[in-house]
């Protein structure tokens, strides 16, 4: 379904460009140039981010914590902690939960919600503000993290009520 | 950001050394530039492509249509941005494409929106309150089509799948509302001081 949307989206944009007599070719080239600049700007910030996440993953710290904490929802706790840092780590915990508890279990549903209802704050801050060159990110981190926490709390409430 | 980054690295390094997987950590540290390049080739390539498509939309005025859809709400939320400023158009376009679940296609619009917000900000190095609000909206990821998880759950042959879509929509919507509300309060306090 999303592929269809994407197709319609791109098609509609180009058709409107033709109707409005825009030089689509020139516009596209100009946009790509801007995009290239942005992506090159991002590199250093994303690299710093990837190093930190790689190290965290390879230190097996989180696995250690979850093996020590032996209660029902400890996998979800770890996922909730990881979610603001890294989408891919959260996704892999979600898939592990699917296999461990079954895809329709309460834990897997919670895991799905935790993964979906918020995005990784740290990644977004380093990615976007690195890209446009903002050094002092002020309260962005706190506000982003609160969003993550609200999302997780809401997930718990909804899954507990409806399933 | 600085302390968090240092903290992550130091904790991981100390724990890794205590755990004795020094070699693995060295390996992943050295492979980080390669991983980053691969990530940027994948994600960045798409961003570059959609930047081109998006520029056509900007030049043809399509994004004006998007911004008319939600202009009232968005102008209320982003009260610091002049109401006919182009940043409003970019923000609307980003929110609409997030609603449709277009994923990475919405990133160039977000970048453009941040660039415009930076232009109207007095202090070029420092974040403005409208940027924080926009970030929070993006983190809360309000969407009508949570395509990624639904397709993953389909692969796992989930019985409860389509039913969770309305719940996800409601939760992401409430999350967006509450977070914007909270952020507004936090930012207002800062301005009072």
């Amino acid at each position: 379904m999303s592929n269809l949307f994407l197709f319609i989206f791109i098609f509609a944009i180009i058709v409107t460009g033709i109707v409005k007599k825009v030089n689509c070719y020139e516009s596209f080239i100009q946009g790509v140039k801007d995009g290239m600049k942005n992506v090159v700007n991002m590199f250093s910030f994303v690299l710093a981010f990837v190093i930190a996440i790689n190290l965290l993953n390879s230190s097996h710290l989180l696995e250690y914590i979850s093996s020590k904490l032996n209660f029902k929802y400890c996998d979800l706790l770890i996922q909730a902690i990881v979610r603001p840092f890294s989408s891919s780590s959260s996704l892999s915990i979600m898939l592990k939960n699917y296999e461990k508890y079954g895809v329709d279990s309460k834990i897997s549903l919670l895991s799905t919600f935790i993964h979906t209802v918020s995005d990784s704050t740290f990644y977004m801050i380093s990615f976007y503000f690195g890209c446009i060159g903002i050094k002092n990110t002020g309260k962005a981190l706190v506000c982003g993290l609160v969003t993550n926490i609200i999302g997780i709390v809401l997930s718990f409430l909804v899954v507990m009520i409806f399933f | 950001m600085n302390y968090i980054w240092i903290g992550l690295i130091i904790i991981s390094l100390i724990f890794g050394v205590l755990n004795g997987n020094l070699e693995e950590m060295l390996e992943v540290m050295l492979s980080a530039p390669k991983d980053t390049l691969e990530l940027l080739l994948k994600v960045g390539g798409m961003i570059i492509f959609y930047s081109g498509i998006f520029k056509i939309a900007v030049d043809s005025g399509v994004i004006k249509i998007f911004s008319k859809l939600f202009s009232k709400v968005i102008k209320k939320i982003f009260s610091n941005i002049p109401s006919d400023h182009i940043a409003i158009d970019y923000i609307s376009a980003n929110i609409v494409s997030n609603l449709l679940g277009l994923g990475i296609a919405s990133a160039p619009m977000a970048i453009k929106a941040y660039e415009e917000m930076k232009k109207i900000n007095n202090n070029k190095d420092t974040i403005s309150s409208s940027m924080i609000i926009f970030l929070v909206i993006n983190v809360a990821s309000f969407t009508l089509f949570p395509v990624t998880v639904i397709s993953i759950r389909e692969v796992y042959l989930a019985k409860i799948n389509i039913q969770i879509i309305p719940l996800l929509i409601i939760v992401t919507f409430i999350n967006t509302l509450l977070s914007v509300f909270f952020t507004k309060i936090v930012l207002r306090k800062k301005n009072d001081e």
Side-chain angles (χ1 to χ4, degrees):
Chain A
M1 188 155 69
S2 84
N3 285 339
L4 185 68
F5 269 130
L6 216 48
F7 184 79
I8 295 171
F9 179 75
I10 294 171
F11 188 73
I13 284 174
I14 292 175
V15 168
T16 334
I18 297 168
V19 172
K20 292 272 169 97
K21 298 200 174 65
V22 173
N23 188 336
C24 292
Y25 176 73
E26 294 267 312
S27 292
F28 183 75
I29 300 283
Q30 193 56 47
V32 168
K33 271 187 193 161
D34 288 350
M36 294 273 275
K37 240 189 297 174
N38 287 331
V39 171
V40 171
N41 277 346
M42 274 169 207
F43 180 81
S44 45
F45 298 93
V46 179
L47 176 61
F49 184 80
V50 168
I51 287 179
I53 295 300
N54 271 4
L55 280 178
L56 185 67
N57 284 339
S58 69
S59 73
H60 301 296
L61 177 64
L62 295 172
E63 284 98 327
Y64 179 78
I65 295 175
S66 86
S67 69
K68 284 289 160 195
L69 294 169
N70 220 338
F71 62 99
K72 204 178 162 196
Y73 294 114
C74 65
D75 290 327
L76 292 173
L77 183 70
I78 301 289
Q79 190 191 3
I81 295 170
V82 166
R83 189 72 194 86
F85 291 95
S86 156
S87 255
S88 55
S89 305
S90 158
L91 187 70
S92 73
I93 295 176
M94 185 179 93
L95 297 181
K96 262 183 221 153
N97 284 343
Y98 283 3
E99 276 158 18
K100 201 165 157 192
Y101 303 101
V103 66
D104 288 324
S105 66
K106 214 173 206 177
I107 289 183
S108 295
L109 281 167
L110 260 170
S111 196
T112 313
F113 271 76
I114 291 173
H115 181 74
T116 319
V117 298
S118 56
D119 216 319
S120 47
T121 304
F122 286 91
Y123 181 69
M124 282 198 162
I125 289 179
S126 54
F127 186 81
Y128 285 126
F129 298 131
C131 180
I132 62 163
I134 295 280
K135 288 198 188 86
N136 185 358
T137 50
K139 290 222 163 44
L141 193 57
V142 179
C143 294
L145 286 179
V146 167
T147 308
N148 287 120
I149 293 168
I150 295 176
I152 289 160
V153 171
L154 286 174
S155 309
F156 263 90
L157 287 177
V158 165
V159 173
M160 289 308 167
I161 293 169
F162 287 92
F163 297 102
Chain B
M1 262 330 251
N2 182 26
Y3 295 119
I4 304 266
W5 192 72
I6 294 172
L8 268 180
I9 289 188
I10 299 285
I11 291 172
S12 312
L13 279 178
I14 291 174
F15 189 81
V17 170
L18 292 178
N19 226 4
N21 39 4
L22 211 57
E23 262 171 46
E24 192 191 341
M25 298 189 73
L26 200 63
E27 209 170 284
V28 296
M29 204 150 50
L30 295 176
S31 74
K34 201 184 96 214
D35 293 347
T36 311
L37 268 182
E38 275 168 7
L39 184 75
L40 280 186
L41 276 182
K42 213 165 62 186
V43 179
M46 294 312 278
I47 289 178
I48 292 171
F49 168 70
Y50 285 116
S51 296
I53 296 288
F54 180 54
K55 184 77 168 104
I56 301 177
V58 172
D59 289 348
S60 66
V62 177
I63 62 161
K64 290 269 179 212
I65 303 169
F66 286 140
S67 68
K68 276 195 188 118
L69 282 173
F70 300 106
S71 57
K72 277 204 180 128
V73 185
I74 288 174
K75 276 172 197 167
K76 196 144 224 166
I77 296 174
F78 294 93
S79 46
N80 290 351
I81 303 175
S83 62
D84 51 350
H85 196 273
I86 184 117
I88 296 279
D89 297 343
Y90 290 137
I91 291 169
S92 319
N94 173 266
I95 291 175
V96 170
S97 53
N98 276 335
L99 282 179
L100 297 177
L102 296 182
I104 196 73
S106 57
M109 304 171 202
I111 295 170
K112 279 278 171 202
Y114 283 123
E115 276 175 350
E116 290 301 325
M117 285 187 250
K118 189 185 175 188
K119 275 182 203 161
I120 49 176
N121 192 15
N122 298 326
N123 191 343
K124 299 290 175 218
D125 275 351
T126 308
I127 200 163
S128 69
S129 46
S130 30
M131 288 180 195
I132 298 182
I133 296 170
F134 188 46
L135 176 87
V136 162
I137 291 177
N138 265 315
V139 171
S141 58
F142 178 29
T143 181
L144 298 177
F145 299 95
V147 276
T148 326
V149 284
I150 297 301
S151 52
I152 291 173
R153 288 181 66 81
E154 217 161 75
V155 174
Y156 278 81
L157 303 173
K159 288 193 186 73
I160 308 171
N161 200 6
I162 305 295
Q163 299 94 304
I164 66 170
I165 293 180
L167 290 177
L168 281 173
I169 294 173
I170 294 167
V171 172
T172 51
F173 178 67
I174 298 175
N175 191 9
T176 311
L177 274 186
L178 289 179
S179 310
V180 169
F181 189 66
F182 172 84
T183 311
K184 282 266 189 190
I185 292 173
V186 169
L187 294 175
R188 187 163 299 155
K189 260 190 199 146
K190 193 179 74 177
N191 290 344
D192 286 346
E193 276 161 13

